[in-house]
Amino acid sequence: MTKKGIAVTLRGAGGRKGQQYKTRHYGWSYGVLCLGFAVALPASPLFAAETKVAPTEAETEEDSTPKSVESLIVHGERRKNATTDGTGSYVVKAVSMNKMLLRLDQIPQSVSVIGRQQMRDQNLNTVDDALKQAPGINVNLYGDGTAGYTSRGYTVAPMFDGVPSSGGLQMSQQFDIAIYDRLEVLRGPNGMFQGSASPGGSVNFVKKRPLDQFKAQGSFSGGSWNNFHADADITGPLIPSRKVTGRFVMAGTDRNFFYNTAHDRRWTAYADIDVHITDRTTLSITATGQKNDTTRFMGLPRASNGSDLNLPRKSYIGADWNTTTAPMYEFGGELEHRFENDWRLRVNGRHRVTDTSLHYAYLNSAVSAQKKGNFIVANSSIREQYDGADLYITGPVHLLHRKHDFLLGANYDSYLQKDGGASASWRTNAALQNMDIFKPIISSTLQPNITTWYREPTQQAGVYGSARIQLLHSLDLLMGGRLSFYEYKIRNLSTGTPYVVSQKNNAVPTPYLGLVWHFIPTISAYASYTDTFEPQSAYSLSGRLKPVKGTQIEVGFKGDFFHKNLNVSLAGYRVVERNKALEDQNLAPICGRTGTSTCYNAAGKVRSQGIEAEMIGRLLPGWDINASYTYNDNVVLKDDSGLQGKAYSPNSPRHLFKLWTHYRFAKPEVTRNVWSVGAGVTAQSGTFGSNRMVTQGAYVVANAQVGYQLRPELNITVNVNNLSDTKYYQRLGNLYIYNYYGEPRNFMATVQSVF
């Protein structure tokens, strides 16, 4: 390589599609602005610039159906993947959670994708932030970096790079979003690929993959309440032949909160090495680690009649030593082979370990007029191990002048939990009674030692298959299903008693049927039927409840406009579940394995129905939008405890509107001195909490952003959130805990750099 100028493919700070600039290459040395300081990059093939070569005909040919899931160094097929990083668009070509890599308009269900461009435009740094932008998703925070996620009135299950998991999403710590390429969100039952799960849907977390050309990017953010976040991302070839590529991501957060005492500090590291064994075979090995130290805040109380106490938003209730730590480590591997006849074989595995330690005190009584109450001190330890594997083969068959796609696969999911907990109650300890709720004097020495430990393995396996039959050139039939095998057992390690099999289900079928009709080239109509089943952890007086079984019927329209730059969808759905657990409010907590847990009944029937509308993509050059409206009516149809006819799901608004729009005041080829503006709105109707007396009315929260692209590699943005300083609860709980205010007006300034 000489010192002459060469053409290098770069991406502007706004993340727009790659453009070509002249640069000079001096002794393989680059200066990278990342996290606000310069980093000197060593002489390594990883940092080698890519000389521009004229594309082949195969590379320039537009093909909307990807041939490889994530691999970016497939010769002649670099555009044929589901990756969002570097596309400069909110619209995706395909999704990978269905294995066949179908376009959105080929899937007879509601699917949305939050990709890298929208994450970059909105400065989204957490999984919570990203899923708040997804249509119909409700994010209910728990005050220690974890949250609950629901859709259509039901919880949402996770998949990680297509591998289903029994846990790891609800009330679990999440990795920094800097490691992900996209979040694929399917609303409604996903029994065929997820196995046992709630009918709320699935979120597929797809990690970033290495590129075959050098790219470095980073960002640094600072804002209200000393909220700081930084990330760095470097990728490229590791050897001159480009047969081995790598990607390395680091991210960190250090922040306080708008309420008193609380703090959060965490870091995340991610590495992916791809070995391209042949032009058609790729082996990927990944490793991810995260540590955190987070204040555990259990939320605010309400009055004894459920009304709002109108406490200051800065209020914090709990001990000053409340904390949650949950270090996580994950290792993964994937082998993908593409056959010459366009068939693909893929095997993917993951292993994650999380060690959660919780030490906290929380309010456990009504608050007196003098703002005094009684407390409980808790000590918990949970070690979780997740192991999963997924194997499938998929490809086309040409028959009767039609192209048909087939899929056959199997997966395995193991979740092992070792847990123990102990608490000291105000009922037996006078030192925890009648305390000032804002300044309780609670010694950490009151925490009891954990003396009882349980080991709880959950194993699930399944075989699945599907077919996409082209009945006519414009009409596709999708059909398939799964047989699932599930077992949950428990052992008291403290007493040494043998395992007790608490749940076991063999060969549970979950069929799937769909029809997609492209009645004009840009608009399709669809209908689908899906089944779901979900084992329950709830107990009645007679023992653990049987699994919930449900069905969903969904119909809708999907369209793409402006040369596939804008996607629009409209869906109507109806979900009916049977044997759903609902709390028996007529009984004291005398159920469960210890006789001290809440008692539940099988509700008989629960129904969720509604409509969803979404628009995402580019309306005009430089103008991107993601807008959605959800109407959800969930209700108890049959119940013996007085809930019949009432709404089923807490914190699930009937009406939910989300909008984000971003406009860049320049043509795409202009990359210097460019202004941009963004705006967002979230509006929802009233909701109730886990106690039905706890309610709040409708509210609207608006956000705004101003950006300035100084140079192709440098972009600056300022976000102002909650412009009107609306006072609202982002989540409602019961009379004592889990009521959280939304953030007051705040700002965040971000510097983004891309090389």
Side-chain angles (χ1 to χ4, degrees):
M1 184 71 69
T2 67
K3 295 184 179 181
K4 295 181 180 180
I6 59 173
V8 180
T9 299
L10 298 174
R11 288 172 175 81
R16 303 297 171 188
K17 204 163 185 177
Q19 300 177 21
Q20 299 191 21
Y21 308 96
K22 291 288 183 177
T23 185
R24 290 192 176 273
H25 196 1
Y26 294 104
W28 299 95
S29 178
Y30 287 82
V32 175
L33 178 65
C34 185
L35 312 182
F37 58 87
V39 180
L41 302 180
S44 167
L46 171 61
F47 309 113
E50 179 185 36
T51 305
K52 186 65 180 179
V53 180
T56 67
E57 182 179 352
E59 288 174 318
T60 58
E61 179 185 359
E62 192 70 31
D63 187 336
S64 59
T65 304
K67 298 295 193 297
S68 176
V69 176
E70 297 299 329
S71 183
L72 296 181
I73 190 169
V74 178
H75 296 292
E77 296 181 358
R78 299 190 181 189
R79 294 188 180 186
K80 301 176 183 179
N81 57 74
T83 302
T84 68
D85 191 20
T87 65
S89 174
Y90 291 5
V91 173
V92 297
K93 290 187 176 183
V95 293
S96 57
M97 68 190 306
N98 54 42
K99 320 293 184 182
M100 284 185 180
L101 297 173
L102 302 178
R103 301 190 311 267
L104 292 179
D105 63 349
Q106 296 173 318
I107 303 172
Q109 283 183 274
S110 297
V111 180
S112 302
V113 179
I114 304 298
R116 266 328 309 171
Q117 189 59 49
Q118 185 175 350
M119 295 179 193
R120 197 154 26 230
D121 284 351
Q122 289 191 256
N123 296 325
L124 306 177
N125 294 323
T126 68
V127 169
D128 297 341
D129 292 339
L131 289 181
K132 285 179 181 178
Q133 304 303 315
I137 299 294
N138 302 299
V139 179
N140 302 310
L141 305 182
Y142 280 95
D144 63 349
T146 67
Y149 308 88
T150 62
S151 171
R152 301 183 177 180
Y154 304 100
T155 58
V156 177
M159 302 174 72
F160 298 95
D161 290 306
V163 181
S165 178
S166 297
L169 181 58
Q170 306 292 334
M171 296 186 67
S172 297
Q173 300 289 338
Q174 302 300 318
F175 289 124
D176 193 290
I177 205 171
I179 74 171
Y180 295 117
D181 175 79
R182 64 189 181 277
L183 273 57
E184 301 174 340
V185 182
L186 182 147
R187 297 178 299 283
N190 190 24
M192 187 166 67
F193 297 117
Q194 192 78 48
S196 65
S198 167
S202 297
V203 179
N204 187 27
F205 295 83
V206 184
K207 295 186 182 72
K208 292 177 176 177
R209 296 290 295 272
L211 303 177
D212 64 345
Q213 60 183 11
F214 166 76
K215 180 181 177 182
Q217 58 187 332
S219 70
F220 179 83
S221 300
S224 302
W225 314 300
N226 296 319
N227 184 358
F228 299 102
H229 179 273
D231 63 74
D233 177 358
I234 301 176
T235 184
L238 298 179
I239 61 176
S241 68
R242 302 177 187 268
K243 294 293 186 181
V244 181
T245 55
R247 191 155 196 163
F248 309 95
V249 180
M250 289 284 294
T253 295
D254 193 308
R255 62 169 300 182
N256 296 327
F257 294 85
F258 63 90
Y259 44 89
N260 297 328
T261 308
H263 185 75
D264 181 34
R265 180 181 293 113
R266 63 185 63 215
W267 64 264
T268 305
Y270 166 70
D272 183 351
I273 305 296
D274 282 8
V275 180
H276 305 283
I277 302 171
T278 70
D279 290 346
R280 295 183 175 273
T281 305
T282 302
L283 173 65
S284 300
I285 300 174
T286 64
T288 314
Q290 179 169 283
K291 288 189 176 182
N292 76 295
D293 185 1
T294 308
T295 299
R296 182 167 178 80
F297 174 41
M298 297 292 288
L300 300 174
R302 304 278 285 209
S304 58
N305 63 356
S307 62
D308 190 359
L309 290 172
N310 292 309
L311 299 174
R313 281 183 285 186
K314 67 178 182 179
S315 299
Y316 170 86
I317 295 178
D320 56 7
W321 44 262
N322 277 24
T323 187
T324 295
T325 59
M328 295 194 299
Y329 305 96
E330 181 173 281
F331 301 94
E334 173 193 304
L335 180 66
E336 182 182 67
H337 179 75
R338 299 179 307 108
F339 300 93
E340 292 185 358
N341 56 2
D342 288 339
W343 280 71
R344 290 184 294 107
L345 175 67
R346 190 186 192 203
V347 58
N348 197 351
R350 62 183 288 265
H351 170 77
R352 177 187 291 190
V353 175
T354 303
D355 281 305
T356 303
S357 178
L358 306 100
H359 308 278
Y360 58 103
Y362 64 95
L363 188 68
N364 188 245
S365 73
V367 178
S368 69
Q370 293 75 32
K371 298 296 187 292
K372 291 189 176 182
N374 304 321
F375 283 78
I376 285 180
V377 174
N379 180 15
S380 299
S381 179
I382 306 170
R383 179 179 175 84
E384 299 167 290
Q385 179 176 312
Y386 305 88
D387 293 286
D390 184 69
L391 167 68
Y392 68 88
I393 184 168
T394 183
V397 172
H398 297 273
L399 182 65
L400 300 176
H401 305 290
R402 301 279 193 272
K403 178 189 174 186
H404 316 284
D405 296 298
F406 292 88
L407 169 73
L408 182 63
N411 52 38
Y412 171 77
D413 172 31
S414 172
Y415 172 55
L416 175 60
Q417 176 176 306
K418 179 185 176 183
D419 60 282
S423 63
S425 171
W426 59 273
R427 295 179 177 86
T428 57
N429 190 330
L432 296 172
Q433 297 177 4
N434 199 30
M435 307 186 75
D436 184 338
I437 64 171
F438 296 124
K439 296 180 180 179
I441 302 175
I442 304 175
S443 172
S444 60
T445 59
L446 293 178
Q447 293 182 93
N449 294 325
I450 300 174
T451 58
T452 303
W453 294 88
Y454 293 93
R455 194 173 192 269
E456 304 174 63
T458 300
Q459 293 182 323
Q460 181 178 196
V463 292
Y464 58 86
S466 66
R468 178 171 169 261
I469 308 298
Q470 192 177 52
L471 302 177
L472 302 171
H473 285 296
S474 60
L475 184 64
D476 294 334
L477 172 66
L478 292 91
M479 56 184 181
R482 174 189 177 94
L483 286 177
S484 296
F485 301 82
Y486 178 94
E487 182 181 78
Y488 164 80
K489 54 187 180 180
I490 184 171
R491 181 185 181 190
N492 189 324
L493 297 176
S494 305
T495 60
T497 55
Y499 279 109
V500 175
V501 177
S502 181
Q503 279 277 344
K504 188 169 185 177
N505 306 103
N506 289 326
V508 180
T510 48
Y512 171 84
L513 186 66
L515 199 64
V516 180
W517 177 33
H518 286 82
F519 56 92
I520 63 175
T522 58
I523 301 178
S524 63
Y526 71 87
S528 64
Y529 169 90
T530 54
D531 259 13
T532 180
F533 90 100
E534 180 184 16
Q536 301 188 86
S537 59
Y539 285 85
S540 68
L541 284 174
S542 58
R544 195 163 180 174
L545 298 182
K546 294 181 179 179
V548 178
K549 291 189 176 181
T551 59
Q552 176 185 271
I553 296 176
E554 180 173 325
V555 297
F557 297 90
K558 296 184 181 183
D560 58 75
F561 306 94
F562 306 125
H563 306 288
K564 300 185 182 297
N565 287 320
L566 181 72
N567 289 342
V568 178
S569 64
L570 176 65
Y573 61 88
R574 180 183 175 91
V575 183
V576 176
E577 275 196 313
R578 295 169 176 82
N579 202 40
K580 188 71 175 177
L582 291 176
E583 183 177 346
D584 189 337
Q585 299 182 354
N586 297 318
L587 290 177
I590 57 174
C591 295
R593 66 196 183 205
T594 62
T596 59
S597 300
T598 301
C599 297
Y600 291 84
N601 285 326
K605 279 189 179 181
V606 176
R607 184 211 66 206
S608 174
Q609 63 184 15
I611 61 173
E612 291 179 339
E614 180 184 17
M615 175 189 296
I616 184 169
R618 185 159 297 168
L619 291 169
L620 294 172
W623 184 10
D624 295 308
I625 188 171
N626 183 5
S628 64
Y629 167 74
T630 302
Y631 170 78
N632 177 252
D633 174 31
N634 60 77
V635 66
V636 179
L637 295 179
K638 184 179 179 181
D639 177 58
D640 296 329
S641 61
L643 294 178
Q644 187 167 326
K646 296 183 179 180
Y648 161 68
S649 180
N651 291 294
S652 181
R654 179 166 292 193
H655 302 275
L656 178 60
F657 175 75
K658 301 180 181 182
L659 169 69
W660 165 257
T661 183
H662 183 266
Y663 186 77
R664 190 173 182 270
F665 293 93
K667 296 180 179 180
E669 60 269 17
V670 180
T671 57
R672 292 180 179 273
N673 303 318
V674 178
W675 288 93
S676 64
V677 294
V681 173
T682 298
Q684 70 170 56
S685 57
T687 54
F688 64 90
S690 53
N691 184 305
R692 291 174 180 269
M693 292 192 298
V694 178
T695 63
Q696 77 170 339
Y699 65 84
V700 178
V701 177
N703 309 314
Q705 181 195 83
V706 176
Y708 183 69
Q709 186 174 358
L710 184 66
R711 300 194 300 271
E713 67 278 5
L714 183 62
N715 193 57
I716 302 170
T717 60
V718 176
N719 289 65
V720 181
N721 303 311
N722 196 355
L723 282 168
S724 62
D725 200 26
T726 300
K727 188 176 183 180
Y728 67 99
Y729 284 93
Q730 62 182 331
R731 188 212 167 177
L732 297 175
N734 58 35
L735 299 179
Y736 312 143
I737 56 174
Y738 287 149
N739 301 287
Y740 298 96
Y741 280 125
E743 290 185 344
R745 182 169 46 235
N746 63 92
F747 77 93
M748 177 74 77
T750 302
V751 178
Q752 297 172 335
S753 179
V754 180
F755 286 83

